[in-house]
Amino acid sequence: MEIGLTHYLIVSAILFALGLYGIVSRKHAVMVLMGLELILNAANINFIAFARYGGMNIDGQIAAIFVIILAAAEAAVALAILLNIYQHFKHVNVDEVKEMKE
Amino acid sequence: MTDISQFTGELLKSMGLFLPETTLIITFLVAIMADLISGKKHFAGYVVMAGLLVTAFFLMRQTGIESASFAGLLVIDPFGQFIKFIVLITTLLVIMFSFISKELHHSHAKLGEYYILMTGMVIGMFLLASSANLIMIYIAIETMSISSYILAGYTKEVKRSTEASLKYVIFGAVSSGIMLYGMSILFGLTGSLSLLEINTFLMNNSVESITLLLSGIMILAGFGYKISAVPFHFWTPDVYEGSPITITALLSVASKAAGFAVILRFFKVVFSAGLGSENVAWSIIGSIDWHFVIAVLAVLTMTLGNLVALWQTNMKRMLAYSSIAHAGYMLMAVAVLDNTGVAAVLIYFFMYMIMNLGAFLVVQLVADKLDSESIDIFNGLGYRSPLIAAVFTLFLISLTGLPPTAGFIGKLYVFSSVVNAGYLWLAVIGVLNSVISLYYYVRVIRNMYLRDIESTQPKLTFSVSALALVMLLAIPTLILGLYFSPVIEWANASIAIFTGH
Amino acid sequence: MDLITIAFYFFAALTLGFGAVVVLSKNIMHAAFSLLFTFFGVAGLYVLLHADFLAITQIMIYIGGILVLIIFGVMLTTRITGVDVKSGKVGIFQLTGAIVLTLSIALLLLFVYTNTHWYQPESIPMESTAELIGTTLLTRYLLAFEAASILLLVAIVGAAFIARKKH
C-alpha cells in the first residue's frame, strides 16, 4: 500500500496518545513538559501532512513554524519557573507541590 | 506573487485600524526603557497608565467600524471593541490597585517587569479579542498566557506564589497543546486556518460530525481553560489563591473577558450561517447540538463553583470559586448562541467587572492591614471599619445578584435571554445556583456584623486614596442597579461580530 | 517496497519507538535523550512530506534549542550524581486511569482518522518550500510574524525576571 495521508495521521494519533500518557502518568514537571512536546509534535505532523495532501497548502507549514517558535518560548518560561520552584521545594513533582489546602 | 502596490495599500489601511494595538506595543517598549533609566518604583506603572489612556482614545475612534484587516488575520468590529474596553478599564484599575498594594511593596525594590508584563498581557488580550485565524488565536492566547504565568509567580520568594505559577504554566501549556491539536484536525477537515474561510467551506460541504465534534471539543478545552469552565477549571483555586491579589483580580476579569470573546467569535463565525428566522438566533451549520454541549459546560461550571465555594476558609479561594460560578452564568447565555445571548454576556461582563474588582480590592485592603486572607479576619469588620464593611456588603449582594445592584441587572438579562430562547430548564438550574451562592456570600456579611462585635480590637483606618478607589467601584455598583440603560444600549450596539457575509 | 515506503516506516518507528521510551522510562535522563531521536524521526517525516524548511527548523530549534533547555532543566532540578534521577512514581490507581484514558483517546483518534474524508484536492508537489514560506510569512501572515516577535520579547523579559536571583 502506498504511503498516504492516513499513515501520517496514525503516527500523529499515537504520538498524541503517548504525550497524553506522559502528562497524566508522571509527576516530575520536566517529564510533563516532555509529554507536552510530544503533543505539539503530533499537532505539527498533522498540520504538515494536511498541507502536503491538501493541495500543497502552505498555511499548514506556516502554522507549524509558529508552533515551533511558541513551543520554544513556552519551554523557556516553564523551565525558568521550574528552577524557581526547585529553589523553594527542592523537587519539582507537580502533585507534591502543595502549600495550599482545599 | 502578490501585487506589491496592492499589498502595501492594504497594509497601510490595516495599520490605520491597528492603532490601539500599535500604541500598546510602543507603550510596552517605552516601559522597558523607562524602567531601565528611572529608579522610581512605580515609574513604569505611570508610563503604562498613560499608554493605556492613549489606547482608549484610539479605540474610541473605531466605534462602528466593521472590517477585516491584515489579510483577514484580525477583524475590527464593535463586539471586539467592547471587550477591549473591558480589558482596558480592568487593567487601569488593577494598576491603581497595585500602587497601594502592600504585598507587592514588600517584595521588590522596583516593579518594572510587573507593569511591563501586564502590558504584554493586554496586547495578547487585544489580539485575542479580534483574531479571526486559528494561528493568530494561538499566538494571542500564548502571549497573554506567558505574561500571566510570570505575573502569577511575581512575588517569587513567597512559596505559594511560585506554586501558583507552576500549576498555571503546566496546566496552561497542556490545555493549549490540546487546543492546537484540535485546530490541526479542523485545518485538515476544511483546508484553511481562517475562520471566515472555514465557515464558507462548512456551508458548502458536509463533513463528518464526529470529527468536527472532536476538534471542537479539543479547541473548547483551550478556550475553556481561559474562562475556567469546568472541567478545565482545576488550576483556578490554586492560582487565584497563590498569586498576588492584584493579579488574581486581573485574571478573574480581563483574561476571562478575552476568553469569552474568542469563544463567542469562534462559534459565531465558524458555525453560524448568518441569522435565522427571527433575525436573532444564529442558524447553526451541521447536525451537532452545540447549544447542548455549551449548556452542559455551563451547568457543570456554575454548580461546581457554587458548591465548592460553600466550604472555603480563604477569602481569595472563595472568590476564585465564585468567579468559576460567574463564568457558568455567562456560559448559559453563550449556550443560547444568538444575538440577545451575546448582548447578555456583554452586559453581565460589564457588571461583573465592577463588582468583582470591588470585592477583590476590599479583600486586598483588609488582608494588607491584617496580614491574613482567612474569612475570619472579616469578623467584626462592621465595627472595626463601618464604611469598608458597608461597601463590601454591597459588592457581595451584587455578586449574589440581588436588587438594587449591578449584579441583579446582569443576571436579569442573562436569565431572560436564556428563557426567551426556550431553555427553561437551564434558567431554573441557574436560579437554584444563585440561591446556593446566597449562602456563602451572606455568611461573610453575617460574620462582619454579628461576630466579635463586643471585641476590643482596634478600628482599622485606610488611606484616602484607598477609600477613593473603593468608592470609584462602589458607586457604579449601586447606580448601575438603578440606572442601567447606557450599558444596555452600549452592549446592544456591540453585538455585531464581523462574519464577512 | 520502494525507498519512500521504507523511509516512512523507519522514521515512524524511530518517532514512536523513542516516543514510548520518553513516557515509559524510569530514568528521566534516558527520557530526555530519547526525545532527541523522536524529534529527529519527526524531522524525517517532514522531509517525506516535502517540508524541507520545516525539517531543518525542527532540527535547529527543537533539537538545538528546546531539547538543550530540557536537559538543563533535568540537570538543574535533579541530583544526577546520586541515585535520585528518578522521574517520580504515581499510584497504581492513577496509572490505570492514565492507561485507560490514553487507550480510549488513541482508539477514538484512530477511528476518526481512518473514517474521515479530509479536504484533499489535487496536489502538486514542489521542489523547495523555503521561498514560498518566506513570501507568505511577510505578506499574508505579516501580523502573526510580528505578534510572535512580541511574544518572544515577553518570554525573554519574563524568563529573565523569574530565573534571576533576588536583588
Side-chain angles (χ1 to χ4, degrees):
Chain A
M1 186 181 161
E2 203 193 332
I3 301 298
L5 176 60
T6 314
H7 289 79
Y8 290 98
L9 295 184
I10 290 173
V11 173
S12 141
I14 300 175
L15 199 58
F16 178 81
L18 282 174
L20 204 60
Y21 178 77
I23 288 167
V24 289
S25 73
R26 289 313 179 87
K27 294 202 292 189
H28 198 288
V30 181
M31 289 299 298
V32 178
L33 282 182
M34 287 194 225
L36 176 71
E37 298 301 341
L38 294 187
I39 285 189
L40 294 181
N41 271 279
N44 266 359
I45 293 178
N46 263 0
F47 272 124
I48 292 173
F50 286 134
R52 163 71 181 81
Y53 291 97
M56 209 56 217
N57 185 347
I58 202 69
D59 284 14
Q61 296 202 11
I62 300 278
I65 289 181
F66 282 116
V67 173
I68 294 179
I69 298 172
L70 268 51
E74 205 166 52
V77 170
L79 286 167
I81 291 172
L82 283 191
L83 291 188
N84 200 25
I85 280 281
Y86 187 70
Q87 284 170 1
H88 280 287
F89 290 87
K90 295 298 163 213
H91 67 76
V92 289
N93 290 344
V94 181
D95 10 343
E96 285 165 28
V97 177
K98 248 190 240 158
E99 267 296 288
M100 293 174 271
K101 294 276 147 45
E102 277 296 328
Chain B
M1 272 309 275
T2 329
D3 180 19
I4 200 76
S5 64
Q6 187 200 344
F7 169 71
T8 46
E10 274 170 16
L11 185 64
L12 284 176
K13 186 171 156 276
S14 301
M15 286 305 291
L17 293 172
F18 200 60
L19 275 177
E21 287 83 357
T22 315
T23 317
L24 283 175
I25 293 167
I26 292 170
T27 308
F28 179 71
L29 298 175
V30 171
I32 294 178
M33 297 298 167
D35 184 51
L36 286 178
I37 50 174
S38 162
K40 288 213 185 78
K41 183 163 191 159
H42 288 297
F43 190 68
Y46 296 116
V47 172
V48 171
M49 268 186 93
L52 292 183
L53 290 173
V54 179
T55 310
F57 170 73
F58 284 125
L59 194 57
M60 201 99 77
R61 290 185 24 183
Q62 288 188 347
T63 309
I65 296 179
E66 262 190 80
S67 162
S69 63
F70 291 105
L73 289 187
L74 280 197
V75 292
I76 309 297
D77 54 18
F79 171 75
Q81 192 199 22
F82 191 102
I83 297 286
K84 286 175 189 173
F85 266 118
I86 293 216
V87 168
L88 269 186
I89 297 171
T90 308
T91 315
L92 278 170
L93 286 168
V94 167
I95 290 177
M96 288 193 262
F97 294 2
S98 311
F99 289 156
I100 54 171
S101 160
K102 215 173 88 185
E103 185 181 19
L104 292 169
H105 286 233
H106 267 315
S107 51
H108 296 281
K110 271 170 80 180
L111 288 171
E113 284 93 349
Y114 177 83
Y115 296 113
I116 292 166
L117 289 169
M118 219 183 247
T119 320
M121 202 170 151
V122 175
I123 295 173
M125 293 187 284
F126 264 56
L127 291 176
L128 191 57
S130 46
S131 297
N133 182 294
L134 294 177
I135 275 305
M136 206 53 219
I137 289 177
Y138 181 57
I139 295 175
I141 285 195
E142 287 291 301
T143 309
M144 114 186 195
S145 304
I146 286 183
S147 326
S148 46
Y149 300 152
I150 310 282
L151 286 173
Y154 196 83
T155 45
K156 58 181 180 176
E157 57 298 312
V158 181
K159 243 184 172 184
R160 53 171 211 175
S161 182
T162 59
E163 177 184 344
S165 159
L166 173 80
K167 296 215 160 130
Y168 204 15
V169 72
I170 294 283
F171 295 138
V174 171
S175 76
S176 67
I178 290 173
M179 174 185 79
L180 188 75
Y181 200 76
M183 287 176 171
S184 76
I185 296 176
L186 192 56
F187 172 68
L189 273 178
T190 60
S192 174
L193 292 168
S194 152
L195 300 188
L196 306 180
E197 285 169 22
I198 291 175
N199 177 252
T200 316
F201 184 90
L202 289 177
M203 276 203 284
N204 300 324
N205 303 272
S206 70
V207 296
E208 273 82 357
S209 290
I210 177 149
T211 320
L212 194 59
L213 183 66
L214 187 71
S215 83
I217 287 179
M218 282 179 158
I219 293 175
L220 212 49
F223 298 165
Y225 182 86
K226 281 288 144 213
I227 61 166
S228 55
V230 176
F232 317 111
H233 71 286
F234 35 76
W235 58 279
T236 316
D238 284 345
V239 172
Y240 281 21
E241 187 186 337
S243 310
I245 196 159
T246 46
I247 296 306
T248 310
L250 188 65
L251 290 179
S252 72
V253 180
S255 92
K256 266 190 198 191
F260 271 101
V262 73
I263 287 186
L264 281 169
R265 186 181 298 282
F266 183 78
F267 278 99
K268 167 90 193 237
V269 177
V270 172
F271 291 116
S272 92
L275 292 178
S277 47
E278 295 120 36
N279 258 345
V280 178
W282 308 340
S283 56
I284 300 296
I285 304 169
S287 55
I288 304 169
D289 193 355
W290 288 110
H291 299 281
F292 184 71
V293 174
I294 305 173
V296 167
L297 277 187
V299 170
L300 286 177
T301 306
M302 57 192 173
T303 312
L304 186 130
N306 279 323
L307 287 180
V308 185
L310 288 177
W311 47 80
Q312 296 309 316
T313 52
N314 178 298
M315 205 60 209
K316 266 159 100 184
R317 213 174 169 87
M318 192 199 94
L319 286 178
Y321 281 107
S322 126
S323 90
I324 294 178
H326 284 279
Y329 299 139
M330 285 181 265
L331 272 177
M332 282 199 309
V334 176
V336 171
L337 293 177
D338 69 8
N339 282 351
T340 51
V342 175
V345 172
L346 295 181
I347 294 165
Y348 197 95
F349 223 101
F350 193 85
M351 310 300 185
Y352 170 75
M353 167 181 81
I354 294 171
M355 60 197 184
N356 206 45
L357 286 178
F360 272 112
L361 177 60
V362 172
V363 175
Q364 176 192 332
L365 292 175
V366 177
D368 275 353
K369 285 277 178 226
L370 301 173
D371 271 331
S372 160
E373 286 159 3
S374 158
I375 284 188
D376 299 336
I377 60 169
F378 287 86
N379 290 358
L381 194 72
Y383 163 78
R384 299 178 75 182
S385 175
L387 178 66
I388 290 290
V391 169
F392 196 42
T393 307
L394 177 69
F395 289 137
L396 290 176
I397 287 176
S398 183
L399 283 169
T400 321
L402 295 176
T405 55
F408 172 70
I409 304 301
K411 276 232 171 83
L412 190 68
Y413 274 87
V414 164
F415 285 131
S416 68
S417 80
V418 174
V419 172
N420 277 343
Y423 292 90
L424 199 60
W425 61 276
L426 194 55
V428 169
I429 297 177
V431 171
L432 287 177
N433 263 289
S434 300
V435 176
I436 302 175
S437 73
L438 185 66
Y439 176 78
Y440 60 86
Y441 290 128
V442 167
R443 191 182 53 169
V444 178
I445 300 176
R446 185 197 63 193
N447 286 356
M448 287 196 298
Y449 287 104
L450 301 177
R451 290 278 166 87
D452 285 349
I453 23 174
E454 293 92 23
S455 77
T456 49
Q457 283 175 314
K459 296 214 174 214
L460 296 178
T461 48
F462 295 96
S463 68
V464 178
S465 50
L467 290 176
L469 209 46
V470 172
M471 294 322 282
L472 188 67
L473 289 160
I475 293 168
T477 307
L478 195 58
I479 289 181
L480 286 174
L482 303 165
Y483 177 68
F484 45 83
S485 50
V487 176
I488 312 296
E489 278 163 27
W490 186 26
N492 279 326
S494 304
I495 51 174
I497 297 177
F498 183 78
T499 52
H501 53 72
Chain C
M1 284 220 285
D2 62 349
L3 198 61
I4 299 279
T5 314
I6 296 170
F8 171 80
Y9 282 111
F10 173 71
F11 285 124
L14 195 67
T15 307
L16 296 179
F18 281 99
V21 176
V22 171
V23 295
L24 297 174
S25 162
K26 289 268 177 292
N27 185 317
I28 190 164
M29 221 44 198
H30 293 174
F33 281 112
S34 307
L35 202 57
L36 174 94
F37 294 101
T38 307
F39 288 157
F40 189 74
V42 174
L45 292 177
Y46 290 172
V47 173
L48 296 180
L49 285 167
H50 297 262
D52 49 348
F53 183 75
L54 253 299
I56 300 297
T57 315
Q58 166 89 3
I59 291 178
M60 302 251 290
I61 299 182
Y62 257 113
I63 300 179
I66 298 177
L67 192 67
V68 171
L69 263 178
I70 287 181
I71 290 177
F72 266 106
V74 172
M75 293 197 296
L76 290 172
T77 58
T78 21
R79 274 153 286 168
I80 33 168
T81 44
V83 272
D84 204 24
V85 206
K86 291 290 186 291
S87 45
K89 287 200 192 79
V90 289
I92 190 79
F93 178 70
Q94 199 184 348
L95 206 61
T96 325
I99 291 170
V100 171
L101 176 78
T102 312
L103 280 181
S104 44
I105 298 257
L107 292 176
L108 177 65
L109 279 176
L110 290 178
F111 171 75
V112 165
Y113 281 170
T114 44
N115 286 292
T116 301
H117 296 287
W118 301 100
Y119 173 76
Q120 267 180 297
E122 210 47 42
S123 296
I124 333 108
M126 54 179 83
E127 285 299 305
S128 165
T129 54
E131 191 188 338
L132 187 58
I133 288 178
T135 34
T136 316
L137 265 185
L138 288 180
T139 51
R140 263 198 304 144
Y141 284 91
L142 180 65
L143 181 69
F145 187 76
E146 295 299 332
S149 69
I150 296 286
L151 177 126
L152 289 177
L153 191 54
V154 169
I156 292 170
V157 172
F161 166 76
I162 282 287
R164 79 164 174 244
K165 287 222 159 54
K166 278 175 233 164
H167 49 152

